[in-house]
Amino acid sequence: QVQLVESGGGSVQSGGSLRLSCAISTYASSNYCMGWFRQAPGKEREWVGTMDSDGQTRYQDSVKGRFTISQDSTKRRLDLQMNSLKPEDTAMYYCAADAGRWRAGAVRCGSHGAEFAYWGQGTQVTVSE
């Protein structure tokens, strides 16, 4: 069983930065891919980005160049560095993990929430004008 706990959310002004962290309860480096999702009030959950087990990352177009996913050396923490934040980035942010599919030498996940079996409780990010 994989447990995920997010932290680091808060309120910032437009143009500011926040760093979210996701604590992972198990050693997941070679067995899981990880993702970040977000959900704004009244909107559907939205994919933000994914890190495969080999460290390859992919991002939604609206956050490319502003957000960066990274994992610490112990593979027990997944971070989401968010720069140049905009009011439209306001949402509850969720960390997710899954065993994924083995392709091209790594465990890889897609961009759909239904593909992820494990979820954190979320952390709120609010960006004001």
Side-chain angles (χ1 to χ4, degrees):
Q1 183 74 14
V2 177
Q3 292 183 328
L4 308 171
V5 179
E6 302 95 335
S7 62
S11 298
V12 295
Q13 289 190 322
S14 182
S17 298
L18 279 175
R19 188 177 187 89
L20 306 183
S21 290
C22 174
I24 307 163
S25 67
T26 187
Y27 186 69
S29 66
S30 60
N31 297 318
Y32 294 93
C33 51
M34 307 290 298
W36 284 97
F37 290 79
R38 65 187 181 185
Q39 187 166 19
K43 294 188 177 182
E44 292 187 354
R45 183 174 57 195
E46 179 182 50
W47 174 68
V48 174
T50 300
M51 174 178 275
D52 296 331
S53 65
D54 63 356
Q56 181 176 331
T57 54
R58 291 178 296 281
Y59 301 92
Q60 180 204 118
D61 285 347
S62 71
V63 306
K64 280 182 183 177
R66 300 189 298 123
F67 291 12
T68 302
I69 296 173
S70 62
Q71 198 167 38
D72 76 324
S73 59
T74 68
K75 307 296 184 182
R76 294 295 183 102
R77 194 184 77 242
L78 186 77
D79 292 338
L80 178 66
Q81 177 66 42
M82 304 184 295
N83 298 327
S84 302
L85 282 162
K86 305 174 182 180
E88 51 264 42
D89 294 318
T90 295
M92 184 73 79
Y93 282 71
Y94 298 91
C95 174
D98 196 75
R101 299 179 185 177
W102 185 263
R103 288 200 306 268
V107 175
R108 305 195 187 279
C109 278
S111 59
H112 298 287
E115 299 181 54
F116 290 80
Y118 305 102
W119 292 83
Q121 83 290 349
T123 186
Q124 178 68 37
V125 171
T126 302
V127 185
S128 58
E129 294 283 358

